[in-house]
Amino acid sequence: MKPDRQQMFRVLLPQLLDALEREIFNDNSAIWGPSNTSSNEPFPGMDSILNEQGSSKSGSSMKQCIPNETIVKIVGSITDPSKQVGPAGLPNSARDEGARLEEEKGVLRLEVIQNSLYKDVPKQHLLWLVGMQNVYVLQLPRMPKEYIARLVFDSKHKTLCLIKNNAVIGGICFRQFPSQEFTEVVFHAVSSNEQVKGYGTHLMNHLKDYHVQCGIYHFLTYADQYAIGYFKKQGFTDNISLPKHKYEGYIKDYEGATLMQCTLNPKICYKQLSKVIKRQKEIVQGLVEWKQSKINKVYPGLTCFKKGVSRIPIENIPGIQESGWTPSSVKEEEHSNVNQKHFLHIWNRLKAHNSAWPFLEPVKTEIAPDYYQYIKYLQIYKLSVRKSVRGTTRLRKCSLRMLIEYSIIAECIMILILSITSMLEIFRNSLSVN
């Protein structure tokens, strides 16, 4: 990565992470805050969301623009069972929504069981362990049967079983290391005839909530090339932040597999995570639709440009202020000066390059008479700098992406210069040889 891009990420990335951390660990957060669950708001945390949004031109907040009756009506339409079509009718429903509904209806059960050498184990638990062993053997054919049986029935390993119609259809075998502050996920599988129903995600969410209650906030597992994508969807990453001395010598190593880690947030209820996010999206969508329904007036197009006007202030566009737009605190002239500074820096770097000499002056017709018949638009150094200084490039309020793109273009031009110089050198050498 180029040094200027590294500097950009060093400046912007910490700001993004700080904002995200403040939101996640805020006790009154609209997303996770448990203190908001008993409030009288139509949706927990909605007041904080509305208060933090931008205000209108008169200084009133968005909350003052939206009546409380409207918010209650929108939330009521979302939570009304008669207006819900179920997970099958929702194109953007969460993967585990169907499994969560089945659990609420009693169709599914989840049990954490383990074998023991010191006390009697219920017969039903042993039957479930045998069923779980069979699932692992069928779904993990590369694993030896004896190895699977040894770990499933090991007293140090636990199994989270997914039970449907009193039969095991999936589960997660894991081993906890409380002193090392992590848990190893050993096996994770669902029966082939029960896959693509969200059961795997539902199992993992239950496992996360179980470990939050146990005070263990790190998962480690080895994933083969076919399972890496699944574990990434569950919040795992191959960037291991847990110190190596914590797990080295404890976790089992597998050849040809990738070590992955998942860090848990103790303030999140993972079983309800997708449901909460989905509810928030529906409320925001309802507010957007309500706002759009209030804007009934259609404004005619702008005709000032036909009269020779090249530009007008944004606030003079009919209807722009009614939509809630507010002028930016940064003046356009300041953006223009910043743009010119960046472009002049790029062009000065190009000019200083050893191989830039063919592009500093226009080609003379004495040397190439038909040159201008093929090259219609000249972009030599002096002309481009003159345009940039006059501001005729019209790149106002240049975004970060645009600056990156122009830096890439400048680098490509430098590479092109080097290529042309090399070709000229080869041509000269061939002439000298002849």
Side-chain angles (χ1 to χ4, degrees), residues 156-167:
K156 296 179 181 179
H157 289 72
K158 296 181 180 180
T159 300
L160 175 62
C161 295
L162 180 63
I163 304 165
K164 184 176 183 180
N165 299 327
N166 206 31

Side-chain angles (χ1 to χ4, degrees), residues 57 299 302 304-305 309-333 335 396-397:
K57 186 176 180 180
Y299 295 89
L302 298 175
C304 57
F305 300 108
V309 178
S310 60
R311 55 186 297 181
I312 62 172
I314 297 179
E315 56 268 19
N316 291 348
I317 299 176
I320 194 69
Q321 296 185 3
E322 289 79 356
S323 65
W325 178 87
T326 56
S328 174
S329 58
V330 182
K331 295 182 179 180
E332 187 174 355
E333 289 76 8
H335 287 283
R396 301 289 191 252
K397 298 186 178 180

Side-chain angles (χ1 to χ4, degrees), residues 304-361:
C304 57
F305 300 108
K306 296 181 179 180
K307 302 177 181 179
V309 178
S310 60
R311 55 186 297 181
I312 62 172
I314 297 179
E315 56 268 19
N316 291 348
I317 299 176
I320 194 69
Q321 296 185 3
E322 289 79 356
S323 65
W325 178 87
T326 56
S328 174
S329 58
V330 182
K331 295 182 179 180
E332 187 174 355
E333 289 76 8
E334 297 179 3
H335 287 283
S336 178
N337 295 334
V338 172
N339 295 340
Q340 293 180 6
K341 180 179 178 181
H342 283 290
F343 286 124
L344 289 176
H345 174 69
I346 293 173
W347 284 118
N348 288 332
R349 287 182 58 192
L350 286 173
K351 180 182 178 182
H353 198 276
N354 296 331
S355 301
W357 59 269
F359 303 93
L360 298 180
E361 297 291 342

Side-chain angles (χ1 to χ4, degrees), residues 135 138-139 169-170 189-197:
V135 172
L138 292 175
Q139 301 303 318
I169 63 172
V190 177
S191 299
S192 58
N193 59 334
E194 299 290 351
Q195 292 181 3
V196 200
K197 296 182 180 180

Side-chain angles (χ1 to χ4, degrees), residues 227-287:
I228 291 177
Y230 167 79
F231 280 108
K232 284 185 177 181
K233 293 179 181 179
Q234 305 304 323
F236 284 76
T237 176
D238 55 2
N239 184 16
I240 310 301
S241 61
L242 194 68
K244 193 173 183 179
H245 68 86
K246 290 279 188 179
Y247 61 87
E248 191 174 26
Y250 291 88
I251 188 172
K252 292 173 282 294
D253 297 330
Y254 296 92
E255 295 183 359
T258 302
L259 181 62
M260 304 189 74
Q261 174 186 334
C262 179
T263 302
L264 307 181
N265 190 321
K267 295 187 177 182
I268 297 177
C269 179
Y270 288 94
K271 289 180 291 189
Q272 302 295 329
L273 175 60
S274 59
K275 183 178 180 180
V276 171
I277 294 177
K278 176 176 175 291
R279 181 68 57 82
Q280 291 176 343
K281 290 181 179 178
E282 291 173 346
I283 290 177
V284 172
Q285 181 64 28
L287 293 175

Side-chain angles (χ1 to χ4, degrees), residues 2 7 15 34 37 44 54 64 129 203 241 247 258 263 270 290 296 325 329 335 353 365 378 395 397 405:
K2 300 298 181 181
Q7 182 64 23
Q15 299 177 4
T37 56
Q64 295 173 345
L129 286 176
L203 271 167
S241 61
Y247 61 87
T258 302
T263 302
Y270 288 94
W290 172 83
N296 298 322
W325 178 87
S329 58
H335 287 283
H353 198 276
T365 55
L378 298 180
L395 290 175
K397 298 186 178 180
E405 290 177 352

